[in-house]
Amino acid sequence: MKAVLITIGDEILSGNTVDTNSNFIAQQLRNIGIPVLKILTVADEVQTIKKSLAEGFEIADLIITTGGLGPTKDDRTKKAFAEYFGDELKTDDATFLHLKNLMIKRKREHLLEINKDQAVVLSKAHVFQNENGTAPCQMIQQNGKTAVCLPGVPYEVKPLVKDKIIPFLQQKYALSHIIARIISVVDFPESLLALTIEQWELDLPPNISLSYLPVGNRIKLRLTAVGSDAGDLKIQLDNEVEKLRPLIGDKVIAWDGNDIQEILKELLLKNKLTLSVAESCTGGELARLITSVPGSSGYFEGGVIPYDYRQKIALLGVSEAIIREKTVVSAEVAEAMSLGCRQLFKTDISLSTTGVAGPATDDFNNEIGTIFYSIRIHDSVQTNRLFLPHMERNDFAAFVSQRVLQDLVSLLTKTL
């Protein structure tokens, strides 16, 4: 079975809303052995939706759509589905009762009349009730093809997919297993890495594929194995990884694990180390990354954002004389910040960032895109400089935060 995902909505095409649903659904499908061949984003127009359904079914057995199921007149997905499948729309009593109970539970009974069209569904559809919203999920199966029509709100999509759609697909179809293994490589240009492991890659079994996924200056090598037996696939992947170790072992910071914050978690918990952060130009993104991992309270003590230079002095004890002499964006200030942070939170490790994200320069006229970050592990410290003048503010903070955690992981793997 192969899938196509279709995101429906003018707000996605206009750039006002980011499509996170497709990423989530594709991951969930991959986990049960269903590859996604194409992801489409289309306007909320009947003919456009019908055309995208026809296009999707030319290459796939399963189509999952998200969006276009609200109570307003600009949502036309149900009409498009009805016309495409030669079906009719009708009010479903079970769905209306579910909608009514949901409105009562939320103390919004006065909105029931406005939302009653949400109980109108395709007559041929199997309905999955939406516990977190008013629009149900509908599924139509016809001529060996399956179409699933989901609402667009991410917090409604996720439980519908995880708890209802995925279990249904697993039960109905004999699916292959897809298992992935991610190896994180640093300080290795992608072209040189590809050349170094070229013969190993050529010798991979037919059911195992390799992808290169650059993240900052880290390259994630993703090995993906497809087969009928999950246990055999894991053994296969382990064997191929062992063949890889002699080729790039000194450049690998993790032999398994996707996100850098997850890799860091394992290292810190295993070695019983605590962490704190002092952020200026990253504005809390570093702390957000760290705390995005469940269980981060086991090692992360906290952080501060001393954005103004006077707060660096007051909160972290940075010397005003150093700031006057070196400016706030300097290796010396970054090191003083990490020292003050470690003393403030009494942690084994502290991280600090100071820089100019732009688009305007700072009070000291430092060059836009300049950043210094300091990594302090016990009594040792490493401070680095980056220059990223081409990045917008959000991308700047995200890139720097990834890089700082990546360098910390690299240092820990070499010293522990």
Side-chain angles (χ1 to χ4, degrees), residues 26-75:
Q27 289 179 352
Q28 295 296 311
L29 291 176
R30 184 188 66 212
N31 291 341
I32 63 169
I34 301 178
V36 172
L37 301 184
K38 184 180 287 189
I39 298 176
L40 302 171
T41 302
V42 301
D44 202 348
E45 299 171 349
V46 172
Q47 295 306 317
T48 302
I49 296 169
K50 288 166 61 179
K51 184 177 178 181
S52 68
L53 289 170
E55 180 182 343
F57 279 133
E58 285 181 1
I59 60 172
D61 317 293
L62 170 67
I63 289 180
I64 298 181
T65 71
T66 56
L69 291 180
T72 55
K73 289 182 173 56
D74 63 337
D75 289 310

Side-chain angles (χ1 to χ4, degrees), residues 1 8 20 23 35 77 90 114 184-185 195 215 227 271 273 292 304 313 318 322 343 364 394 397 408:
M1 173 171 274
I8 300 168
T20 59
N23 175 266
T77 302
K90 66 169 188 176
I114 299 174
S184 293
V185 184
L195 183 63
V215 180
N271 293 280
L273 296 171
S292 68
V304 290
I313 297 169
V318 178
I322 291 178
Q343 292 172 341
F364 300 88
N394 289 342
L408 172 57

Side-chain angles (χ1 to χ4, degrees), residues 219-401:
I219 298 173
K220 297 192 295 186
L221 295 175
R222 184 172 69 195
L223 280 168
T224 304
V226 181
S228 58
D229 189 291
D232 289 344
L233 294 179
K234 289 178 182 178
I235 293 171
Q236 258 193 311
L237 289 176
D238 288 342
N239 290 339
E240 296 306 323
V241 168
E242 288 306 310
K243 296 175 187 176
L244 189 61
R245 286 181 188 272
L247 302 177
I248 60 169
D250 59 334
K251 300 291 187 180
V252 172
I253 59 172
W255 291 98
D256 200 4
N258 188 7
D259 295 328
I260 194 68
Q261 59 267 31
E262 294 173 348
I263 297 170
L264 178 62
K265 172 187 175 178
E266 298 303 318
L267 278 170
L268 295 181
L269 289 177
K270 180 180 178 181
N271 293 280
K272 299 180 180 179
L273 296 171
T274 55
L275 174 67
S276 59
V277 298
E279 302 182 65
S280 186
C281 61
T282 47
E285 175 64 14
L286 195 51
R288 187 201 67 78
L289 265 182
I290 295 167
T291 56
S292 68
V293 180
S296 54
S297 59
Y299 50 87
F300 185 62
E301 295 293 325
V304 290
I305 308 175
Y307 208 62
D308 186 88
Y309 78 92
R310 287 163 291 201
Q311 297 305 318
K312 294 175 175 65
I313 297 169
L315 295 174
L316 300 175
V318 178
S319 166
E320 187 172 359
I322 291 178
I323 292 178
R324 282 200 304 268
E325 180 185 356
K326 302 293 183 179
T327 82
V328 72
V329 181
S330 62
E332 291 81 2
V333 167
E335 290 186 6
M337 288 173 64
S338 67
L339 177 60
C341 181
R342 183 167 174 247
Q343 292 172 341
L344 176 64
F345 289 99
K346 298 179 174 57
T347 54
D348 302 302
I349 303 168
S350 61
L351 310 172
S352 68
T353 64
T354 180
V356 187
T361 189
D362 62 0
D363 295 338
F364 300 88
N365 291 317
N366 285 295
E367 194 170 5
I368 294 169
T370 304
I371 182 169
F372 289 89
Y373 62 94
S374 179
I375 300 172
R376 191 173 292 271
I377 304 173
H378 298 304
D379 295 323
S380 65
V381 62
Q382 176 176 297
T383 302
N384 298 321
R385 178 184 183 273
L386 291 173
F387 184 53
L388 307 167
H390 57 289
M391 287 191 175
E392 295 184 354
R393 289 179 67 87
N394 289 342
D395 295 335
F396 178 94
F399 181 95
V400 171
S401 299

Side-chain angles (χ1 to χ4, degrees), residues 144-165:
K145 305 287 187 177
T146 301
V148 177
C149 183
L150 286 160
V153 183
Y155 70 78
E156 297 178 21
V157 168
K158 288 182 178 181
L160 281 168
V161 171
K162 282 170 52 178
D163 301 336
K164 298 185 178 182
I165 304 305

